Amino acid sequence: MSARIRAVFEDAGVRGWLHAVALDSPDSTVEVDADTVVPMASVYKVPLLAGFCRLVDLGEVDPRQQLTLDPSTRTAGPTGVSILADPVTMSLRDLAVSMMTVSDNASADALLDVVGLQRLAELLESFGLKRTWVRRGTAGNLRDLQRRTGVDDPDAALAVLADNDRTDPVGVYEAANGSASSPRDLTTLLRRLWTGELLSEEQTAFVRATMHRQLFMHRLASGFPHDGVRVAGKTGTFGALRHEVGVVTLPGGAAFAIAVFTLAARGDFRQPRVDAAIGEAARVAVDLLR
C-alpha cells in the first residue's frame, strides 16, 4: 500500500514519512515509516494547542486572560503579531487562534510561556504520546540555529539553511536537538482530539474550529481541490523541512487524520513541488483508506 506514496516522495526529491488513519476505524491505516521521530517545526503548535485547551478544562488557565506582546521582546516571524510595529494586547485564546491560523510565532511563544515546558510534557504523556516532545519555542529554535551557524541575526541564520552551496549545520535536522514527533503520534493526537476523548465538548469544538481556519492551502488541501472536502490542518516549515498534519473530511462525513513530514534535498525558501507532494501523498492515503 505504501509503494504509491513512496513514489510520490521520490518524484518530489524528498524523504517522506506519513501516517493516515480513518477516524471511525482506528485499525484502518496507511503508513510510511510512521514511527520515525522527525523535528516538527511549527507543527509543534498542535500539541501546544491541545495542552493549552486541557489546562482551560482543568481551570489552570483562563482563556480570557489578557497578555501584552511588545515588539522589543516578542518572537520574530513572517506572520501575525510577529510582524506588527506596536504593542498588542490579546486574550490567550485569541493568541491560540493566531498561532494556528497563520502560524504566528510570537503568539505561540507567549502561549508556551503560559503553559510551561514541563507542564506541557506532562500533558502530552497523559495524552498517550510516546514519541513527542517540545523542547522549546520558535525563539529558542532561532537562537539554537544562530549558534549552529555562527551568525548573530535570525534571518541570516535561516539564509544559511536556504543556501544550497553550503553544508547544513551539524545537528540542525536531528530530532533529539529540538521539538519532535512521529507521524503516528500526531495522528493519534488528532484522532483523540476530533473524537472528543481528550477535551471537553467546548474545547474540542474550539480546536476543530481553529484548525479549520488555517489559511494555508498549498500542502494538504492541495490534494483535495473540491469545495465539499474540508481540511483542518497545521503546517510546519524549517529549512528543508516541509510538513503538514490535519484532518480531511469528505462530503459524506468520512474523516481521516493525516500526518505528512518531508525533508527535501534542497533548502530553498519556496519549494512548490514538495508542497504539492504533501497534498498528493495525503490524497493517495485517503484513496487507499476509503
Side-chain angles (χ1 to χ4, degrees):
M1 291 176 65
S2 65
R4 289 173 58 190
I5 296 172
R6 291 184 188 277
V8 171
F9 290 146
E10 290 172 6
D11 186 61
V14 300
R15 183 178 180 189
W17 304 266
L18 177 145
H19 191 261
V21 58
L23 294 192
D24 62 356
S25 181
D27 293 330
S28 298
T29 65
V30 174
E31 308 178 14
V32 175
D33 300 327
D35 292 315
T36 303
V37 179
V38 181
M40 285 189 284
S42 281
V43 169
Y44 91 89
K45 295 164 184 174
V46 176
L48 173 56
L49 177 68
F52 166 72
C53 290
R54 172 61 72 86
L55 293 185
V56 172
D57 278 339
L58 294 173
E60 295 185 29
V61 299
D62 180 355
R64 298 166 298 179
Q65 177 187 338
Q66 302 287 304
L67 280 185
T68 299
L69 279 61
D70 191 275
S72 65
T73 56
R74 67 190 178 212
T75 305
T79 61
V81 175
S82 294
I83 64 174
L84 302 183
D86 300 309
V88 175
T89 299
M90 299 173 67
S91 68
L92 297 184
R93 63 186 172 192
D94 282 346
L95 290 172
V97 171
S98 188
M99 171 182 79
M100 297 299 294
T101 56
V102 297
S103 203
D104 181 352
N105 291 336
S107 293
D109 277 5
L111 207 64
L112 183 58
D113 286 343
V114 171
V115 174
L117 287 171
Q118 183 57 46
R119 189 70 178 104
L120 181 57
E122 296 168 357
L123 293 168
L124 298 183
E125 183 178 3
S126 75
F127 293 163
L129 305 184
K130 306 298 185 184
R131 295 179 174 86
T132 301
W133 53 81
V134 176
R135 303 279 195 226
R136 53 183 176 258
T138 303
N141 282 340
L142 291 174
R143 287 193 296 269
D144 180 72
L145 181 61
Q146 288 173 232
R147 178 181 64 81
R148 293 179 186 277
T149 56
V151 299
D152 296 328
D153 177 76
D155 290 335
L158 290 170
V160 171
L161 289 188
D163 187 346
N164 296 303
D165 293 326
R166 301 181 64 168
T167 301
D168 292 327
V170 174
V172 72
Y173 295 126
E174 292 181 9
N177 293 331
S179 301
S181 186
S182 70
R184 190 188 308 274
D185 253 22
L186 288 174
T187 58
T188 296
L189 177 61
L190 288 171
R191 181 178 59 79
R192 299 193 71 195
L193 286 170
W194 243 249
T195 57
E197 295 179 30
L198 297 181
L199 303 172
S200 67
E201 183 176 345
E202 179 181 5
Q203 291 306 305
T204 296
F206 176 72
V207 167
R208 294 174 68 166
T210 300
M211 290 189 66
H212 272 116
R213 293 184 179 122
Q214 181 189 226
L215 295 182
F216 306 127
M217 307 295 287
H218 58 305
R219 293 185 184 164
L220 275 186
S222 70
F224 306 90
H226 311 286
D227 289 343
V229 180
R230 301 190 70 200
V231 178
K234 181 69 198 75
T235 59
T237 308
F238 183 72
L241 296 168
R242 298 287 191 284
H243 310 325
E244 188 163 3
V245 305
V247 174
V248 174
T249 305
L250 303 182
F256 307 87
I258 306 170
V260 187
F261 290 170
T262 69
L263 177 64
R266 299 174 61 86
D268 305 78
F269 288 125
R270 293 180 178 84
Q271 299 204 48
R273 189 175 179 186
V274 179
D275 295 333
I278 291 172
E280 185 178 356
R283 179 189 56 77
V284 171
V286 169
D287 286 346
L288 291 169
L289 288 170
R290 293 175 67 180

